[in-house]
Each structure stands twice: as C-alpha cells, then as structure tokens.
Amino acid sequence: MFFHPLCASHFNSFLYFSVLFHILSLPLSLEDPPQENGAIQTNQYSAISPPGSPDAQEEPFSTYFEEKIPVPDDIFSFRKLWAFTGPGFLMSIAYLDPGNIESDLQSGAKAGFKLLWVLLVATVIGLLLQRLAARLGVVTGMHLAEMCHRQYPTVPRIILWMMVELAIIGSDMQEVIGCAIAFNLLSVGRIPLWAGVLITIIDTFVFLFLDKYGLRKLEAFFGFLITIMAISFGYEYIMVAPNQGEVLKGMFVPYCEGCGPVQMEQAVGIVGAVIMPHNIYLHSALVKSRQVDRGNKKEVKEANKYFFIESAVALFVSFLINVFVVAVFAEAFYNKTNMQNLALSICCGSPHRDLFPADNSTLQVDIYKGGVVLGCFFGPAALYIWAIGILAAGQSSTMTGTYSGQFVMEGFLNLRWSRFARVLLTRSIAITPTLLVAIFQDVEHLTGMNDFLNVLQSMQLPFALIPILTFTSLTSVMSEFANGLVWKIGGGIVILVVCAINMYFVVVYVSALNSVLLYVFSALLSIAYLCFVGYLVSTFLHGYSINGYANTNPLEY
C-alpha cells in the first residue's frame, strides 16, 4: 500500500468489507442497560473517577507515567500554568511533522497564499478537538483508547484500533522519511534514504528513554526541538520576505480564486496533515501526567481551563511555523517553471540540477526538492538550515508517534507488556513498511506518496472524532463536564464536513482513473466506509437521546 495509492485502497477495502460484514450482524439500536436481580445495572463511570474493570484488582499499569507533576494551589498564576505546560506542546508536534511541512510547501507552491485560511480553520478546529481529548483524560482519568475498549463491543473496537493504527503508520512513514531526507541533505547525498531510516530508528529509541530522567526534562527536550523549528523556518521566512499583505489576505479571506482539483486535493491534504486522528488519542493520555484530584470538581475545572490555555498557546506557535513554510514557497516558487529553476541551478553550480527537467511545466517541489531549490535561490546556508528544521520536525514527531502507538495499542487491546516490548512492537509496526519504501524508492520520488498519506489520514478522522464526541457528550461519563448542545451540534457538523470532503476526493481521484471496474470497486468501498461511520454516528445519536437517564451506559449491548 505504500508504493501506490491503489494498493492502499485494496487493503482498506478488505478492512471495510470486514467491518460491513460484522456490522450487519450487530444491533444498531442501543438497548437499555441489562437488569440484574430486578434492578437496573448502572454504569460504573462517573464524572470524576475512572471506571471499574475486570482488572481492577491488578496493580495500576502505565506507559511512562512513573511520576506525576505536582500542581501548586495558586488561584491563577503563570506558575500554575507552567505546571500544566507540557502535554499541549507534545501534542502540537503532530501539527509540525514532515507531512505537515510538505503539505505546507506544496500548498504555497501550488496555490500561493490562497489556502492559508484553510490552514487557519483546520488549526482552530484542531484546538477544539484537542480540548475534548484533554477534558476526557482529566475528567475520567482514562484516555480515549481505554474508553473505547470498555465501551464499544469487540468487533467495532478492533476495527477502530486497526483504523487508528493505519493512520499511525501513514503518519510515521512521513516522519521517518522526513528525518532520512534531512540526513541526506545535510550529508550532501552521502547518507542514502534507507540509512537515514535506520539512524532514525536508533536515535528514536535512545530519545524515548529520556523520560526516565523525568517528565519535565522530556518536555523541555521537545520544547527545544520546537524552538529549533521556529528558528530554522523563521530564518527562511525572513530571507524570502513574503508580501505581508498577501499573507494576511490569504489567512483571513476564505476564497480560492482560480482553484481547481489540484488545489482542492491540496486543501484536503492540509486537513489530513493538521488534524491527525492518533493525536486525539495521544493528548487524552498526556494530560494524565499532572496531579489532579478528580474527586475535587474545582480542581478538575481548573485543570480543564489550564490545559486549554496551554494547548491554545502551543497550537498558535505551530500555526506560525506552518505559515512561515507556506509563505516562503508561495512567495518564491508559486507559478515558477522547471526551466527557470534549472537555469538558476546551473548558475549556482548545484549538483542537483538533474532534478529539474528542461521544460516550462510548473515547478514541482517536495521536502527534498524544496531544500535544493532554497539552496539555489538563497545560498547553501538556506538549504542546511531547512534540513535542520526538517530533522527537528521529523525526530520529535517520530517520538510522539511512538507514544501514540503505545497508548493506542495498550488501550484498545488492554496489553500488559513490558515497556521495552511495547516500544519495540509499536516501532516495528510503523518502521517496517517505511524501511521497505526507503529501500525501493528514490529520495526524489516521494511526493505523490506523501499526498496520498495525508488524504489517507484525513479519511481516518471520523474514527477519532466520533468516539471523542460521543464520550464527552455523555453525562454518564462526564457528569457536569459533558458537552452542551452547541458542542454536540458543532461537532456533528465538523464530522459531516470531513466525511463530505473525503467522499469528494474519492470521486475526483477515481474519475481520473477512467476504469469502470475501479468505479464499481470504489463505490463498494465507499459504502463500507460510510456504513461503519454510520454505525459510530448511531451510537452517538442514541447516547444523546437517552442522556437523561442517570448513570446508564448507552454503549453497552
């Protein structure tokens, strides 16, 4: 599935048809809770304490939370905000991974400043979704994967896990290959792509064990990597000096004049790159690292407030970095031709001049070619600074991706493995296909795959959005912290828009293939996809309809 989009479509179809077969045997109406001894069996969830489980007698199990960060008792202060600072910045790494950076540069190169408003809207929506994820973790003491394990029946739960793992693999491929490309650029081609992947595997394992020295040191290390990205891409922004008026216009005017299927596909890619399904699972777990007395509603309310402020600051920083990249490529390379860049490459004596054909077609750039082009236009320093920024983005996101994989796997499958075994398994699942791509593909031919992986992640979004909206809307789970009517309606609209965008892209993509067989295949695939999404939506709607029943579990069958 990693060599051509159709391969991934075949794999997805197998999963979706399996889902359809099993879903047809499941009741879509949610029954009232079972009765024991004439009494209604109530849900063990409350707004403050985590649910009971068959493993309740076992010693509590954690992924890396050997310590809890204490929170001062101040009413409101920056000291208290500082105590909560950390999870939001780790979460924001997913908004800065190499997949996002490549989506940004292609957005600038293909559409100029016209899609900056899509980036802004996607970031704001991402913040609202991360708010839901953080609230679930703070209020219940459980992350989203654990909640899915306890609330959904077996078959939907396994399918959800498979879809999230698919999204993690797609994201991880972008991140690891981004690191490998950075090593290749920094070594002037001496380190091949496959060797860069192996280096990334090794140093990721090393960095992952930094949390043994304390969570605050780990969070400081991630903050250092974000600072490197801000300085690197900020330097490129200052060097290029884009038109500030055009930047503001593209950011706040929701219009794309003269845009066609290429720009629409890029807009979908931006949504898929910015709002990642596995990141919602990650954030709901990261907030558990702070000492919050869930028996004290005031503390829970304060934790929700501080985590939201911290997430807003972190995503504002990530948004600025993404804007730097879009603006650089919009100003310097929008509507440029291969011939123009080839002539410049010859003048500057670049060893990469063979990357650009001698024709007047529009210049096509990716992370690799983007660095080369920057070096041609603004000197070797621009190339190396670009590579350092990509390396920081890739290295940080591979680590947070590994944490996501651990939380998702242990939550959905209720694993009780050693720390090393969990890291090894989650890394292997994502690294193996990445290494195969690195061996059989050259560094110059990865752009099409990156576009497809962004769209693939966008298609997995409902499998994170619907569960998080469902659980945070239930008073039986969240008590007084459950979503209000505005959040429920707004969340439902977001899900509908995402599904509509995904279906639009499928139609556009398949229409270009000119094959009746593929038309039929894609129609069946879409039906299976929508059936499972419809099943998840039905659980949300039924949970909303019986939300008045105190302490009932609307997802139990």
Side-chain angles (χ1 to χ4, degrees):
M1 73 176 180
F2 304 104
F3 300 98
H4 193 278
L6 288 181
C7 298
S9 298
H10 285 297
F11 178 67
N12 266 344
S13 66
F14 172 76
L15 297 180
Y16 292 140
F17 282 120
S18 299
V19 174
L20 182 60
F21 175 77
H22 288 290
I23 286 177
L24 292 176
S25 64
L26 290 173
L28 288 181
S29 62
L30 297 167
E31 303 296 336
D32 289 336
Q35 297 185 5
E36 291 184 1
N37 301 325
I40 295 179
Q41 180 169 343
T42 60
N43 180 23
Q44 299 181 57
Y45 288 91
S46 72
I48 305 301
S49 58
S53 72
D55 304 315
Q57 302 301 321
E58 297 181 4
E59 183 181 351
F61 181 76
S62 65
T63 302
Y64 68 29
F65 301 125
E66 275 99 18
E67 64 170 311
K68 296 278 188 178
I69 306 301
V71 177
D73 294 330
D74 305 353
I75 297 177
F76 181 89
S77 67
F78 287 104
R79 178 168 166 261
K80 191 167 188 176
L81 178 60
W82 178 251
F84 283 102
T85 298
F89 281 89
L90 267 69
M91 167 273 295
S92 73
I93 293 292
Y95 292 72
L96 295 168
D97 69 358
N100 275 281
I101 302 302
E102 182 153 340
S103 175
D104 292 338
L105 67 88
Q106 289 187 28
S107 171
K110 294 178 180 179
F113 301 98
K114 298 174 185 176
L115 295 179
L116 275 175
W117 66 272
V118 177
L119 177 63
L120 175 61
V121 171
T123 303
V124 171
I125 292 175
L127 173 62
L128 299 179
L129 294 173
Q130 301 299 161
R131 173 186 179 271
L132 295 181
R135 286 171 69 86
L136 180 70
V138 170
V139 173
T140 68
M142 304 183 67
H143 58 73
L144 182 55
E146 291 174 322
M147 193 68 73
C148 289
H149 174 78
R150 286 162 173 77
Q151 295 284 62
Y152 282 116
T154 302
V155 172
R157 182 173 73 239
I158 295 300
I159 296 300
L160 273 175
W161 170 67
M162 293 172 71
M163 293 298 98
V164 178
E165 286 290 352
L166 191 61
I168 292 175
I169 291 173
S171 174
D172 214 58
M173 288 184 67
Q174 295 172 316
E175 295 157 0
V176 175
I177 289 175
C179 284
I181 289 174
F183 283 124
N184 185 273
L185 288 172
L186 289 170
S187 65
V188 197
R190 293 186 180 90
I191 299 179
L193 196 62
W194 62 267
V197 170
L198 294 178
I199 293 173
T200 302
I201 295 172
I202 295 171
D203 62 23
T204 298
F205 271 99
V206 172
F207 289 138
L208 276 172
F209 287 93
L210 282 175
D211 59 70
K212 288 294 184 182
Y213 297 96
L215 281 178
R216 296 304 270 176
K217 291 184 176 64
L218 176 70
E219 291 167 352
F221 178 68
F222 278 98
F224 171 70
L225 292 177
I226 293 175
T227 303
I228 291 178
M229 284 183 264
I231 294 173
S232 300
F233 299 132
Y235 170 84
E236 308 286 357
Y237 185 84
I238 294 172
M239 285 285 294
V240 175
N243 186 311
Q244 300 303 306
E246 290 296 320
V247 171
L248 293 175
K249 179 182 176 182
M251 197 180 301
F252 296 108
V253 178
Y255 183 66
C256 190
E257 183 179 359
C259 292
V262 173
Q263 287 75 24
M264 288 297 296
E265 179 181 337
Q266 195 57 50
V268 175
I270 290 174
V271 175
V274 170
I275 308 174
M276 293 188 176
H278 65 277
N279 203 37
I280 295 174
Y281 288 86
L282 172 67
H283 197 199
S284 65
L286 292 175
V287 296
K288 294 167 59 178
S289 61
R290 267 50 182 178
Q291 285 183 357
V292 177
D293 180 8
R294 291 189 300 277
N296 186 325
K297 294 183 179 181
K298 180 182 177 182
E299 281 196 27
V300 174
K301 186 175 181 179
E302 282 193 340
N304 287 332
K305 176 178 66 178
Y306 279 103
F307 276 129
F308 180 73
I309 295 173
E310 185 238 2
S311 297
V313 173
L315 291 188
F316 177 72
V317 173
S318 71
F319 174 71
L320 287 182
I321 295 175
N322 284 317
V323 168
F324 289 161
V325 179
V326 175
V328 164
F329 283 84
E331 181 71 24
F333 309 120
Y334 179 50
N335 281 336
K336 292 293 191 301
T337 65
N338 285 315
M339 187 64 74
Q340 289 174 307
N341 195 70
L342 178 60
L344 188 61
S345 300
I346 294 173
C347 289
C348 71
S350 171
H352 305 285
R353 66 188 68 173
D354 56 328
L355 292 176
F356 310 103
D359 56 40
N360 285 317
S361 59
T362 303
L363 177 66
Q364 300 291 325
V365 291
D366 52 27
I367 287 181
Y368 181 74
K369 292 180 182 178
V372 172
V373 172
L374 285 172
C376 290
F377 273 74
F378 305 106
L383 185 152
Y384 291 119
I385 291 173
W386 170 260
I388 290 171
I390 295 298
L391 181 61
Q395 191 60 70
S396 56
S397 53
T398 53
M399 289 188 285
T400 55
T402 301
Y403 283 131
S404 298
Q406 291 181 61
F407 292 135
V408 165
M409 185 168 290
E410 73 184 29
F412 275 107
L413 305 183
N414 199 26
L415 291 181
R416 292 295 183 267
W417 289 5
S418 71
R419 173 187 174 77
F420 179 78
R422 293 196 312 274
V423 174
L424 182 63
L425 178 60
T426 53
R427 277 287 80 193
S428 300
I429 289 176
I431 287 293
T432 301
T434 308
L435 188 58
L436 292 175
V437 169
I439 292 173
F440 293 106
Q441 291 273 34
D442 355 10
V443 68
E444 299 93 348
H445 300 95
L446 295 172
T447 300
M449 184 187 69
N450 183 77
D451 291 340
F452 174 73
L453 291 175
N454 279 339
V455 175
L456 176 65
Q457 291 174 82
S458 179
M459 293 189 69
Q460 309 308 313
L461 278 174
F463 307 126
L465 268 55
I466 300 175
I468 193 66
L469 186 63
T470 298
F471 299 137
T472 56
S473 297
L474 296 174
T475 54
S476 56
V477 172
M478 301 289 289
S479 187
E480 66 185 68
F481 298 99
N483 295 330
L485 183 60
V486 173
W487 276 94
K488 293 172 184 176
I489 295 176
I493 292 174
V494 168
I495 293 170
L496 287 175
V497 170
V498 169
C499 290
I501 290 174
N502 292 338
M503 289 299 102
Y504 172 82
F505 173 74
V506 170
V507 171
V508 170
Y509 180 77
V510 174
S511 298
L513 299 177
N514 296 319
S515 170
V516 176
L517 181 61
L518 290 175
Y519 292 161
V520 175
F521 174 78
S522 298
L524 295 175
L525 175 65
S526 299
I527 292 172
Y529 176 86
L530 291 175
C531 280
F532 188 53
V533 171
Y535 165 78
L536 295 177
V537 170
S538 72
T539 63
F540 166 70
L541 293 177
H542 192 80
Y544 172 72
S545 68
I546 65 171
N547 215 18
Y549 293 111
N551 288 331
T552 57
N553 182 356
L555 300 181
E556 282 188 356
Y557 288 85

